Structures are given as C-alpha cells and as structure tokens.
Amino acid sequence: RWLREIETGEFVSLTIMDVNNQNYEGDTGPSIIRTERGDGTLIDTAVVNGFELLPIRFSQLEMVKSTSLAGELSKLTVSFATSGFISRGSRLRIDFSGENADRDGSAWNLVASGPVIPSEWLLSIPPGSKTIDLFYDGADRISPDEVTSIEVFNVGNPNYVQTVVYVVLLLTPGVGSVSSHRDSDTLSYTVGNLSKVERPTVSPPTLASSEGPMTVTLRPQNPVPIDGKIQVDLPSGFTFVTPCEAIAIEGINGTLEFEVGRFGCGGLRSAMILRMGDGDEVLAGASVVLELNTIRTQSFAGLSGEGRITTLTSDDAQIDTGTTPPVGVAVAALTEAQISTGTNVAGATTWLEVMFIPSSPIPNDGLLMIQCPPGLTILEPPQYTSLMGQPAKFEILPDTFRYYMPAAQPYYDLGGISQANRNPGQPTDNAYRGATVTLRRIAGPGIPDIPPYDAVRFRFPAVQLRPWTGCSGTFQVSTMLSGFVLLDSDLSVDGAVLVPGTLQDVSVQVSSMLPDALVNVTVNFTLATQLPPDSELHVTFPPGYRGLEYATVSAQYGMAGELQVVSDPGNMRLAEQFGGATVVRLKHMANEITPAGSQVYVVLSGLSNRFFSSKAQAFHVKTLLRDGITQVDRRIGVVVPPVAGPQRAGFGVFTDGEWVMAFNEQNPREAFRLAQLEDAGGITHGVSALDVEGGAMFFVSGGKLMQVNLESPSLAQVQLRVDSATMGGFVNMEWDPVAGRLIGLALLDGEMVMATVDHRLGNVTRLSAEARLPACGACECSPTQGVSALDPVARIYYMSSQLTLLAVSAEDGRVLWQTSVVMGASGFQGFASLEFDSVGRPGVYAPRGLMGMALRGDAVELVQIDSRTGDLHTLAMVFDEEFAGSIVGGVSALTAGSERYLALAQARLLSIDLNSLVVSYYATPGVSEEGEDAASGGGGWSLMEASRFMPPPESETTESSADSLEYQNSPECVGALDITVLGLEDSMPIKRGGNGNFFSVTIVGVDVAVGDRVKIAWDGDCRDTILGGGPFPITSAGSHSQAFSLEFQYAGFAQFCYSRDDGFDEVFRPLSWGSSRNNPTFFLTVASFDVVPTPLPVGTPLSLELLGALSPADVLKLVADDGTINPVDLCSRGPLYAGTQPITLAVDGMEVSSYSGGAVTRVTVDVLLDSGGGVPLRVCYQPAGWTEFSLLLGRSRPDSTYSWVTGSVLEVEDGGSSGGGGNGGGGTCTTEFGQ
C-alpha cells in the first residue's frame, strides 16, 4: 500500500524482506506483478520472468571412519555445514555405490545398522539402493554455516583394499531426489585382518633344516572370491621346496595352483596360491586349512619369526591379512653320528674321532660343540686345528655350558618346545658330565660353509679313556651359529664299550701239588690301569678248592692300604659257567690310588688244595671298582701250573707196590696216590707207555693192559687178546703219537714181533708179516726188558740188547738197522734205559736225540747215542769206581720239557739236568729204605713215566666263558635309567616253568618305551637267553607287565637284561630288580621246597612241600653235606641222608597252587630222618626224563612267627650220634647257595 500516488511512467523500486527461496536449485519460474486500487480494482498487470537459483554449497564436508580395515564394521562420522538453511524433513543422502565397483553388485549388500547420533537424524536405506539416507527430524532449522556432525554406527567397510569417492546430497522435503546441495569425500581402505591365524605346524615334528608339509589354518574376515588368491609369506629362514603344492584340507574347494615364476618356487620364502574359479566363495568367518608341500625349516633351533597370510582379489587387491605365530623349531638331528677310538681298553691313551652328517649348513664362523662323558680326559689339545681342511680354534670349557636360546615373546605358547631345545649340557652335577669342547671355525675370505649332508670328521689327537669298563657314557655333538644358537644336535651318541685293561706279568702259584693239602696261593701281577682307593680284587678259582670262604691274606705288597677277603659265604659267587668255579672277592681300602705299573703280590692262605689232574687249571684275576661289578684290569685264563715256556711244569707217574703214584717233578718229595692195584705182583717191570696228549699211562700186569687216567685219576684194565697165538707178554712198549696207538715188542708163539695194542679192547695185532726180530739164542742178543725209546718224528722205534742197538719202523715193524755198541776198553754191558729227545730246549741246546743209561764195568753214564754207528758220547757220569752205585733197569723217563733225564738208583731218584749235566739225587717215597731192587718183588718202583700238564679246556681260558663280557653289561648302561622291575618277590624262589605262567613282573618308569625288549639270561651273560625267557617286546610306555615260564636243567643265578630302541646300540644289558633297584641277580631252582620247622627234627615224620613244574615219576632225594664234597658235586656224589631213600612222586596229592605271579604244582612229601642227625642236608631233584639230579633252593623257618629264609642247606637237630649217611662228623662247614 502506497502512501502517495504513483504517477504514470514513474520508475518504482521496492525491496521485499525475508522472502524464502525454494529449497532446490534451478529456475524459479515467472512472477506476476499486479497494481490495484484500494478497493481492489486492477490497475496494471505484468509477467516477470524467473531467475536461476544456484545450489547452496557445502561450506564444509568431512567423512571419517573409525577403522579403515577392509571388511570391518566401523563408525561413520559425517561433519558438514551448508551455505543455506536445512529444514525439517531434509535428507542427507550418502551414495555408497563406489564401493566394490568391480564386483557383481548382486553379491554385495550395504551394511549400516546404526544407531545414529544425534537422534534428530534418522537412518534409512532405500530398498535396493546403495545409499544411506539420514532424515532430519529436528524442530529447528539448521542455520547456514552451522557445523553438524552425525555418527552412524556399524557401517560395513568394503571387502578389500580400495579408495572410494562418496557423493553426499542434501534433499529438500517433498521434492523427491532433486537436491540443491551436493558434495563428495574420499576414503581409502587398508587390508583387513584375518579373524584367526593358528601357528603353522610342520610334519614330521619341526626340526631345524627339516623338510615336510606345513599345515596353515586361518579364518578370513571377508569372503575370498572364487578367483581370489592367498599369499603365504613363510617365517624368515623357511623356504618352499620344489615341487610346490597346496592341498585344501578344510573350508575351501575347487582347484588351487601355485603361481610359479620363471625360476620356480623352490628356495622362495613367499608364494601365491591361486583359486581357479571352479569352487565356491569362501565365506567370511569360515575356517580354512591348507597343507603346503613341501617346506624347509630354518637351519637353527629356537623360535622362528612371524609369517604372514594375505587374501587377495584376482587383481591383487588385498582383502585380509594376518601374521602367523612363531614356530618352535627343535634341534635337528645329526645323522650317523659316531664315536670311534684307536682302542677301547679302559684307561688307555689313544685318539678319538667324531663323525656325523649335519642336516644344516655350518657357517664359516660356526661352532662344533662336543660334550664328553665323565672320566674322559683330553690330553694337551692344540690351540688351533683343522676342521674339514679349514682352520678352527680349539677350546675346552671348564664347566657345563648352556646354549643360547632366544627368548620367546611372552604372548606365545611354546607348547613345550623350550624343553625340546634345552641345552644338552644344562647345569647339572659335574660328576655326571665330562669336558665340553668347542671348535670355532675361523671365518675368512674364500672359506665356505660346510654344506648339509656332507660327512664331517674331526679327530682328537690324544685322549685318555675312562679307567674303568662298561659303557663309556654318551657324547653330545652339536653344531651352532657363532652366537651359540643350535643348528643340529645328537644328544645320545654312543661312546665306546670299554673293555678291561690287561694285567701284566700275571702268575698264580700254588704252594703244593698234594691233593687236599693246606696250601698258599700266591698271585702276582702288574696293574695296567690305576686303581681308586676303594676297589676290589677278584680271583676266580677253578673247581675243587675248598675253604675259600675262610681264606685270609697272609702277605701282600704293592697295593696301598688294606686288602681283606670278603669272608661272608653269602658274598661268595658261584660261577656256574665254569662248572663250579668260585670267585674269591678281596676288598681293597686305602686313602690313595694305586698307580698303573704297580707290581702287586698277594698270598692267600688257609685253602685246601684241589684234586690232582693232568689238565692244568685256569685262574682268572680281575681288578674292579668298589661295586664289585665294573672291571678295571683283568687277565683271563692264568694257567696253573704253567704249560708253556721255561716255567712249564711236569709230573712223574710210577708204581710202588700196589699203588700207582705221582710226584712233583720240581719237588719229588711231594708224592701222592692216584689209584690202587688189585695185584701188584703181576706188573711187567719197565714196560709202560705214556700218551701225553690223551692224559693216560699204560702198563701190563697179569696179562692185562692197565690204563691210568691222569686227567681224572682212575684205573681201567682190559685183558690182552691174541687171535690163534700164544701170548707170552711184552718186552717193551711205547705210545706212537702220530698213529695214536700203542706199539711194542711182544712175545707171540715164542717169536718176538712188533705189535699194536688196542687200548680199548686189548686186542694185540702184528704190525706186519715182516714185523719180527731176528732169532737169537743167547741173552746177549735178546732185547732188554723195558729198554726202548721212540723217535716220534722219524717214526723209529729203538730197543737194545746187551751188545746191539736195533732200529725198527714204527709204521710196519720192519728192522731198519742194528748196530753193535762198543764202549771203551772195560767193555760195554748194555743200556739200563733209553729215551729220545726230539725237542731239546730252544735257545739253549739242540735236541739230544737218542740217549741212554750205559753200563760199563763199575761205571754208569748218561750217553748220547749215534744209532747208525753205535758211537756213544758221554754226557754225565752217574756212578764210577769212587762213587759206586747201581741203577734199576727199565725205570726211566724224560721230563716234559726234555730238561731232565730221570732214572731210579737204589733208593734214590736220579735227576740229570740236560743243560748243566748236573746229577741230583732225591730220596723218593715209595722205595724201600733198604734199597731193595724193584724187580725183586720186594716192593719199590716197577716203572716210571714223566708227563707235562696239558692246557685246560679253551672254554675255561677264553673271554666269552670267563665273564661273558661283563664289562659290556655294566649296570651303568641301563642302571641309570628310570626303569624298575616290581613283583618278582612274590614268586621267589624262581622255579622251572612248563605249562602256564610261573612268574610275572611289572616294569615301570619313564624310560620304559615301546620297542624296548626284556629277557632273562644267566648271570654275567646277557648275550644268551634262558629258554622261555624272551626276549619280549615292551608294548606300552611307562608300564609293562610280562610273564615268564622258564625251562632250565640246573640251578644258578639269573638276571634281567634290557635292550633300548632309542639311541642305544640295542645290546642287552643287565637290569637290577626290586623297588630300590639294587638286586642284580636272582636264583633259579629246578623246583623249590618249603619246610617248617628248622633245624629239622630227627626220629619223627617231617613234611616237605615241593613246588614247581612237578610231574609224576620225578625223583627226590636228600643228601648229607658234611663239607667234604664240593656243593656242585653233592647231587651226583653225595651219600643219601641216613634213614632216607629216593622218593618217586606220584600223581596222587598233586595240586595246582596259584599266587599273584602265576601258578605252580604243589605236593607234600613225608620224610623221616635218622635219629643220629647233626649233619646238614641238601635236597636234590631229578625231573622225569633227566639223567642228573639238580640241587634245589627253598625256604625254611623255625615256625610261622619267623620270616622265611631262602637257601639250599637245611640244618638238622643233633641226635647224639655221627649220622649223616656214614660220612661221620657233625661239622656244618658248608658252601651256601643263598640269595
């Protein structure tokens, strides 16, 4: 309304305030201007063209997401300000269509679930749209340039790495999609995290430088397309090995292929695995397990670095990624690691060589470390040496050593790997480890790494081995980086099995040859190896010596401190492999060592000598540690008396009246009886022969051939027989060692012929038709009785008459030649005896050949005879005119070593030393004091032979039977392991098996492993196995039960033997039993007995319970033991206990008795002992079908209030008389078998 009138044509300008433009940009459309009068009458009208509205600009726009990781849910914050107002009902639209633009849109759904802050803004997603609308529902308009921030929660990020441009529009209410406000912002996304990545595993167990498949487990945060990729980056030091292959184990299907470059995948740390489009999309959150073939691990031990796994699109856009936890890499095993030495004699100084094949390369500055077992000494090592032709520095570390092991990150679970990688020389008691030696390679130009799989050798030039026997202990060999990080290692390299040193200058001397005499036994030796202050000396006596348990040391020299015999009979060890040999133990206690080279002299007194035998006996001498098991030095098979060399001994055999006797060649006064003749008067004087090798002497008596067994003194006889001829006797006789037969000059049908004699049947046979002597009608030309000799090499038989010497072929009996003998002016009267020396004394004098006692007037001379010419050469004058005497014809002998010529003169034994030619005279037992001639029938010697002692059987002198490699069976080898044998006590004493389980044990401990083996062997020989004793495999680790049913034919000590499969040499070694593991052996008995009460009552019935594999027809007998018979011979030679008879078992009364370890047959036997009593008894048993009785072990006790006592001797009440099967005496001196 105007306040004045406007003239026509007047220009009018006016301003209208507070006019709101439309809410969107563009043409406003035309406007109409009307002028009217006050009453509303139209004056003028006009149409005014519209104008173009410009968009209101975002003066500020920023989009921020809380995380840029692909596939994650994030918080979207939009901050903006506009140049115009924002009214209620307006919509802020954000276009997300730029995300995943290369993907199939149908496979992608926009995720935005809110909430939204502030609450005036409401969230909506139009159906099928790729936009988010934020609807403004506030009461007030938002002014221009006012900054507004909106937070939208749980907005999904794109699935892979990309950069996205987001268009933002502000829509006016009611106008649809037309916006007057438009802007954009850009966001970049990074690779997402795999929701789970597990530690890779390599099979076999992850060892340094090992090859095998690696298993990878992951869980993707975002889907993996069907043509996507998986990139695997291995930990540093790990590489792929050609051919590369990926196998889908779980969560992914379709074909997988390695992306292989022009040089292949081998040796690479990173590789790309391609999906070939023929599988399904891997959904987000799915568990994917892949096996990668093949992977080589890092070359050193410890935790690896991290690996990485990344999923990608086909065009290499990253989707998710994640790091793999470190892999614990254990020390790789050196292969074929060996230790060898120049000798395996304990205490020896020698070289030692280490050889192994590494699995990892040894760098040119790497280390070789060798941990030695205790007792090994490295002697004066060089400062620098050579390793595989390259320089290395040698160093001995004085203490134990811990390898450097990089610490693991605290948030990783090592899964016990740190234990697998622990230092082999970890801090421990130094007594159990030896020196640690390092060889450090000296890096330099041109010095290469030592490649894997090349054999590495190094030799210590001088070491001193441990001075005791058994397993030397294990060596530990490792290769390392310069910083002591482990590469390869073998912690159980078997060392040498050390054998005992050899005692030097060993001799054993028994003071007398007389059987059953009290003797001193002198043992001399020189130590090869030093002895510790506390040690033992073991002397193994052959069978037959008695009173060993009561022996004393009467003199000693060379061993510091005190030496005592262990006199407790329970500590005596019966060595069954020697047939009853006994080991005498001497304890050595001192304050200092006895050094090597010490000369030791020990005299044992109070012993009763063994029986006589032409077989020498074998002693064994050993030095041992204080445990009495581990040997230091030894000498096996010390032969007594000596059978070789200048000290070899001999003995003579003669007949004296009704007795066949022997005497000590070194001391003829020691004479003793061997056998008794029935008819002493019928002996053919001087006619005898000696089979040295066979241990037999032959002579003729009363038409019979008598044979004396010198090995086990006894007398046998056989009637001499001649077909169709009259036997007139033998004139002389010799043993032909070449033909192994008796030959001699026999009188058949009045004719003298050479004949052989079958010493088993007595048949006399002519050697040949020509085997006859020329006829002679006078005594002067007839062969002298008993005067003959045999050349065993030329096979010539010599005999003589008063005037001639005859040489006869020992092969066919023909006379080869005969020679007249003339000696001096006084005349030759014949030979009193002949002997032939075919060996002489090497180095002293040559063989003397044919010798004889020549009679010439009043003179008696020992002469050397030229059998071809008859010339005589005087060696020694025996008697002459000034020293008159007579010699007994036909009684002579040449000693074993051709050292002495023995003859009989009057009441003296003549001994002529063939070296010095000195004549000695000995008073000899068995010859009448009056000097009566032996041929007169008034007593005295009728014949004489001299023999040497023969070597004992090889089985008694060799290592295998002597101690069955006890040094190799040292308890150290398995005794230190955690292995315990339980349950044996329930079955003691152990009885023979048969059908069924007769005892069982449980073997427990952390070192009991599947694949190990256990068996039962005789004490001291784990190489053998008792029938039914295994070996049995261990079938469960930590605890294994094993039943045994043993079959054996004699009693004795047995032992468990164990063989390990992991790192040991699989040799069976002794295993002690019991909860304390201190019982090395247990006793086996054919059957056992239980008896109550003890001492056994006499004159009243007594019940004896037998247990074992009993059968009808088994025989039981009780024998008396008065101490006069060796225990091993009691069952064969011992008398029945007075009042008892052998008892044959019957099926009646037998019953099966079960116990925790098995079952046995039980029977009760009633016996009645003679009322005399007093003598102990032993129980002998003979199973049906056996030819010999065996000594039984059993249990006894006075009554039920006492504990059982195990043993073989049963004491008997003294009934007041001698009793005991006629053996007299109430003595109780016995050798106890005992546990």
Side-chain angles (χ1 to χ4, degrees):
R1 182 177 298 277
W2 302 100
L3 297 179
R4 69 178 180 82
E5 182 173 326
I6 303 299
E7 295 294 334
T8 302
E10 183 181 351
F11 181 78
V12 178
S13 176
L14 57 87
T15 299
I16 301 174
M17 303 296 294
D18 296 327
V19 175
N20 289 327
N21 287 341
Q22 65 187 38
N23 292 329
Y24 52 92
E25 73 268 22
D27 188 1
T28 62
S31 300
I32 298 177
I33 300 177
R34 292 167 57 98
T35 58
E36 294 177 352
R37 291 185 177 87
D39 59 1
T41 302
L42 178 67
I43 299 175
D44 287 322
T45 181
V47 177
V48 181
N49 293 329
F51 54 89
E52 193 77 17
L53 290 180
L54 298 175
I56 299 177
R57 302 293 181 184
F58 283 102
S59 59
Q60 179 178 336
L61 176 63
E62 182 181 25
M63 294 178 63
V64 177
K65 283 193 174 183
S66 59
T67 177
S68 61
L69 296 179
E72 296 284 344
L73 290 176
S74 62
K75 178 183 72 173
L76 172 63
T77 302
V78 182
S79 298
F80 63 93
T82 61
S83 58
F85 288 97
I86 299 176
S87 304
R88 183 177 185 178
S90 296
R91 287 177 293 165
L92 188 69
R93 175 168 291 176
I94 305 173
D95 188 351
F96 281 78
S97 62
E99 292 186 358
N100 304 329
D102 61 332
R103 303 274 316 284
D104 180 1
S106 62
W108 170 66
N109 292 313
L110 176 62
V111 175
S113 60
V116 179
I117 297 176
S119 60
E120 289 86 354
W121 293 86
L122 305 179
L123 173 67
S124 69
I125 299 177
S129 171
K130 303 299 182 185
T131 61
I132 290 177
D133 284 355
L134 294 172
F135 181 80
Y136 180 60
D137 194 31
D140 300 325
R141 291 191 304 169
I142 298 174
S143 301
D145 298 323
E146 179 180 346
V147 177
T148 301
S149 293
I150 306 172
E151 294 180 342
V152 183
F153 290 85
N154 296 316
V155 177
N157 288 349
N159 291 340
Y160 55 91
V161 175
Q162 56 189 279
T163 298
V164 180
V165 177
Y166 293 91
V167 177
V168 181
L169 303 94
L170 183 64
L171 302 180
T172 302
V175 184
S177 60
V178 178
S179 170
S180 62
H181 301 283
R182 178 189 302 269
D183 207 340
S184 65
D185 201 359
T186 301
L187 296 179
S188 295
Y189 293 93
T190 59
V191 63
N193 285 327
L194 296 171
S195 60
K196 179 180 182 182
V197 182
E198 295 185 359
R199 177 182 293 108
T201 59
V202 180
S203 180
T206 312
L207 301 176
S209 296
S210 63
E211 295 183 1
M214 173 183 279
T215 301
V216 177
T217 301
L218 62 140
R219 192 184 300 275
Q221 179 77 24
N222 299 291
V224 181
I226 61 175
D227 58 353
K229 303 178 182 179
I230 301 175
Q231 179 173 322
V232 179
D233 297 305
L234 299 175
S236 177
F238 285 62
T239 57
F240 288 94
V241 178
T242 304
C244 304
E245 182 183 16
I247 301 174
I249 304 299
E250 178 185 335
I252 190 170
N253 58 14
T255 305
L256 299 177
E257 289 188 3
F258 262 81
E259 186 176 61
V260 179
R262 60 181 296 187
F263 299 109
C265 62
L268 299 179
R269 177 187 170 195
S270 180
M272 189 77 73
I273 301 171
L274 308 179
R275 298 197 68 194
M276 304 310 295
D278 56 351
D280 298 323
E281 181 182 65
V282 177
L283 301 179
S287 177
V288 176
V289 181
L290 298 176
E291 183 179 279
L292 308 178
N293 291 321
T294 299
I295 305 298
R296 182 176 178 84
T297 62
Q298 64 190 32
S299 63
F300 55 91
L303 287 176
S304 71
E306 293 180 338
R308 179 172 292 278
I309 300 176
T310 305
T311 58
L312 306 96
T313 64
S314 60
D315 58 354
D316 296 329
Q318 294 181 337
I319 301 175
D320 294 331
T321 190
T323 57
T324 62
V327 176
V329 179
V331 184
L334 297 171
T335 58
E336 300 184 28
Q338 299 175 13
I339 299 293
S340 56
T341 56
T343 178
N344 63 340
V345 176
T349 297
T350 182
W351 53 262
L352 183 145
E353 185 174 85
V354 181
M355 192 282 287
F356 61 89
I357 297 177
S359 300
S360 307
I362 305 175
N364 62 6
D365 62 347
L367 292 173
L368 168 61
M369 176 175 282
I370 302 166
Q371 181 98 62
C372 302
L376 180 76
T377 303
I378 310 295
L379 299 176
E380 300 181 359
Q383 184 176 3
Y384 293 95
T385 185
S386 173
L387 178 64
M388 300 296 289
Q390 303 296 334
K393 186 176 181 180
F394 193 106
E395 183 180 5
I396 297 180
L397 305 182
D399 300 315
T400 54
F401 189 78
R402 176 180 287 277
Y403 294 124
Y404 170 68
M405 181 61 60
Q409 296 300 319
Y411 48 82
Y412 289 125
D413 177 12
L414 298 181
I417 294 298
S418 61
Q419 293 300 311
N421 290 341
R422 64 187 180 190
N423 159 39
Q426 59 187 317
T428 182
D429 186 343
N430 284 342
Y432 294 98
R433 296 303 314 162
T436 299
V437 180
T438 61
L439 290 174
R440 182 182 292 273
R441 302 190 69 204
I442 301 175
I447 296 181
D449 294 349
I450 296 176
Y453 311 118
D454 275 10
V456 177
R457 296 180 183 273
F458 173 75
R459 176 173 289 194
F460 294 94
V463 300
Q464 185 174 24
L465 302 179
R466 186 187 70 185
W468 66 89
T469 57
C471 297
S472 68
T474 55
F475 289 75
Q476 298 175 343
V477 181
S478 304
T479 59
M480 294 169 287
L481 302 179
S482 59
F484 294 97
V485 176
L486 281 167
L487 295 173
D488 300 335
S489 183
D490 190 335
L491 308 187
S492 299
V493 182
D494 288 334
V497 176
L498 302 181
V499 302
T502 301
L503 293 170
Q504 301 299 313
D505 309 320
V506 183
S507 67
V508 178
Q509 299 170 345
V510 182
S511 60
S512 174
M513 194 181 291
L514 294 176
D516 209 34
L518 286 176
V519 293
N520 295 330
V521 176
T522 302
V523 183
N524 294 275
F525 56 86
T526 300
L527 292 178
T529 309
Q530 68 181 31
L531 278 182
D534 290 347
S535 55
E536 288 197 7
L537 170 65
H538 288 189
V539 181
T540 301
F541 280 72
Y545 287 91
R546 295 188 299 113
L548 297 178
E549 63 268 40
Y550 304 110
T552 60
V553 177
S554 58
Q556 72 174 81
Y557 171 81
M559 296 183 73
E562 187 178 2
L563 194 64
Q564 292 183 346
V565 175
V566 179
S567 58
D568 180 6
N571 286 328
M572 302 295 289
R573 295 182 60 203
L574 293 181
E576 295 292 338
Q577 63 268 36
F578 299 144
T582 305
V583 179
V584 176
R585 298 172 53 200
L586 294 92
K587 283 284 187 182
H588 171 232
M589 294 162 287
N591 295 321
E592 56 184 301
I593 66 170
T594 304
S598 297
Q599 295 180 343
V600 179
Y601 167 90
V602 179
V603 179
L604 298 174
S605 300
L607 314 176
S608 294
N609 201 7
R610 75 196 295 258
F611 49 85
F612 172 81
S613 174
S614 62
K615 286 280 189 184
Q617 48 199 299
F619 284 75
H620 314 299
V621 183
K622 305 175 189 176
T623 58
L624 306 95
L625 298 185
R626 62 185 300 177
D627 60 6
I629 298 175
T630 306
Q631 299 182 38
V632 179
D633 289 342
R634 66 178 185 171
R635 175 62 69 87
I636 300 301
V638 181
V639 178
V640 180
V643 297
Q647 301 300 320
R648 64 180 176 179
F651 59 93
V653 183
F654 63 95
T655 58
D656 183 12
E658 62 180 333
W659 292 100
V660 179
M661 302 185 68
F663 64 88
N664 186 347
E665 178 188 301
Q666 303 293 331
N667 181 11
R669 294 180 181 86
E670 287 186 2
F672 46 92
R673 298 170 176 175
L674 297 179
Q676 188 175 16
L677 298 170
E678 296 178 357
D679 180 13
I683 296 177
T684 302
H685 181 82
V687 178
S688 63
L690 178 68
D691 177 6
V692 177
E693 299 290 339
M697 185 185 79
F698 304 94
F699 60 93
V700 176
S701 176
K704 297 177 181 178
L705 179 67
M706 314 300 290
Q707 178 176 337
V708 181
N709 184 342
L710 300 176
E711 183 175 335
S712 179
S714 59
L715 184 66
Q717 61 185 22
V718 61
Q719 186 70 44
L720 293 173
R721 299 180 177 88
V722 181
D723 292 338
S724 67
T726 301
M727 178 68 186
F730 275 86
V731 179
N732 48 53
M733 182 182 292
E734 298 291 339
W735 176 264
D736 181 358
V738 176
R741 63 187 181 182
L742 281 170
I743 61 174
L745 183 61
L747 186 60
L748 300 181
D749 290 336
E751 184 180 23
M752 289 189 179
V753 300
M754 293 298 295
T756 64
V757 183
D758 185 332
H759 62 277
R760 297 178 180 85
L761 302 177
N763 295 330
V764 179
T765 307
R766 293 171 183 260
L767 275 175
S768 68
E770 294 80 15
R772 60 171 57 91
L773 268 62
C776 176
C779 294
E780 289 81 0
C781 61
S782 297
T784 306
Q785 180 173 315
V787 179
S788 62
L790 177 68
D791 178 353
V793 178
R795 307 284 304 282
I796 299 176
Y797 192 107
Y798 296 100
M799 64 189 80
S800 73
S801 65
Q802 186 174 347
L803 301 176
T804 60
L805 179 68
L806 284 81
V808 178
S809 170
E811 296 183 20
D812 56 18
R814 293 179 298 107
V815 176
L816 300 176
W817 66 81
Q818 60 183 21
T819 305
S820 297
V821 180
V822 178
M823 186 175 182
S826 60
F828 175 67
Q829 299 173 350
F831 293 104
S833 62
L834 291 176
E835 298 293 340
F836 194 92
D837 173 18
S838 62
V839 294
R841 290 185 66 183
V844 180
Y845 56 83
R848 300 285 189 180
L850 186 62
M851 297 181 292
M853 283 291 187
L855 306 178
R856 182 171 58 84
D858 294 330
V860 178
E861 302 173 19
L862 175 63
V863 297
Q864 193 170 3
I865 307 168
D866 186 332
S867 64
R868 290 284 187 174
T869 65
D871 292 339
L872 306 181
H873 171 66
T874 301
L875 296 176
M877 184 65 70
V878 180
F879 297 117
D880 56 17
E881 293 179 356
E882 295 180 3
F883 185 70
S886 61
I887 195 163
V888 178
V891 181
S892 68
L894 194 63
T895 59
S898 297
E899 299 169 346
R900 297 178 183 86
Y901 195 111
L902 303 178
L904 189 65
Q906 299 169 319
R908 295 291 184 265
L909 175 68
L910 301 181
S911 175
I912 304 173
D913 189 312
L914 295 180
N915 180 33
S916 64
L917 300 177
V918 172
V919 181
S920 302
Y921 302 85
Y922 297 93
T924 305
V927 178
S928 63
E929 294 298 328
E930 295 76 19
E932 194 170 25
D933 190 279
S936 65
W941 292 14
S942 301
L943 47 89
M944 177 172 56
E945 294 288 349
S947 184
R948 66 178 186 271
F949 288 94
M950 298 303 296
E954 184 179 358
S955 61
E956 296 181 11
T957 61
T958 57
E959 174 184 8
S960 59
S961 65
D963 61 357
S964 303
L965 296 180
E966 288 180 4
Y967 53 85
Q968 185 169 347
N969 296 330
S970 168
E972 179 184 348
C973 300
V974 294
L977 301 176
D978 185 5
I979 300 176
T980 304
V981 180
L982 302 175
L984 185 66
E985 297 88 342
D986 298 336
S987 305
M988 297 289 282
I990 302 302
K991 296 158 282 293
R992 191 170 62 91
N995 297 321
N997 296 330
F998 278 74
F999 74 99
S1000 64
V1001 296
T1002 301
I1003 305 171
V1004 299
V1006 297
D1007 290 319
V1008 177
V1010 175
D1012 293 355
R1013 294 175 296 163
V1014 66
K1015 71 175 183 177
I1016 295 177
W1018 292 110
D1019 179 26
D1021 192 359
C1022 272
R1023 298 173 307 168
D1024 199 1
T1025 305
I1026 299 175
L1027 184 63
F1032 298 106
I1034 301 297
T1035 57
S1036 59
S1039 178
H1040 173 83
S1041 294
Q1042 185 61 56
F1044 297 91
S1045 182
L1046 303 180
E1047 285 291 340
F1048 48 90
Q1049 296 189 4
Y1050 58 92
F1053 288 97
Q1055 63 185 352
F1056 289 100
C1057 297
Y1058 199 86
S1059 169
R1060 300 203 71 199
D1061 188 44
D1062 54 344
F1064 279 64
D1065 54 7
E1066 299 187 3
V1067 172
F1068 279 94
R1069 294 186 170 91
L1071 180 66
S1072 294
W1073 59 274
S1075 57
S1076 58
R1077 292 191 282 176
N1078 60 353
N1079 300 303
T1081 62
F1082 52 93
F1083 201 84
L1084 300 181
T1085 179
V1086 176
S1088 71
F1089 57 84
D1090 287 349
V1091 62
V1092 180
T1094 54
L1096 303 181
V1098 296
T1100 182
L1102 173 71
S1103 294
L1104 190 82
E1105 283 192 328
L1106 287 177
L1107 302 93
L1110 310 180
S1111 302
D1114 290 358
V1115 179
L1116 171 80
K1117 69 178 181 179
L1118 308 180
V1119 296
D1121 182 10
D1122 62 356
T1124 62
I1125 300 177
N1126 193 310
V1128 298
D1129 297 324
L1130 271 172
C1131 286
S1132 59
R1133 299 173 56 187
L1136 289 171
Y1137 206 92
T1140 68
Q1141 294 293 328
I1143 301 172
T1144 301
L1145 303 187
V1147 68
D1148 294 335
M1150 287 188 177
E1151 61 180 20
V1152 176
S1153 177
S1154 300
Y1155 57 98
S1156 60
V1160 294
T1161 304
R1162 179 186 297 266
V1163 67
T1164 300
V1165 177
D1166 294 326
V1167 296
L1168 180 64
L1169 303 183
D1170 186 271
S1171 58
V1175 178
L1177 64 79
R1178 299 195 191 228
V1179 182
C1180 298
Y1181 195 81
Q1182 183 185 50
W1186 289 19
T1187 59
E1188 297 180 354
F1189 282 83
S1190 180
L1191 198 62
L1192 294 193
L1193 189 76
R1195 303 187 302 175
S1196 62
R1197 58 183 177 181
D1199 56 50
S1200 60
T1201 63
Y1202 287 79
S1203 299
W1204 289 106
V1205 175
T1206 302
S1208 65
V1209 176
L1210 294 174
E1211 299 294 335
V1212 180
E1213 287 182 348
D1214 190 351
S1217 66
S1218 61
N1223 284 334
T1228 59
C1229 176
T1230 60
T1231 300
E1232 178 63 44
F1233 269 95
Q1235 287 292 105

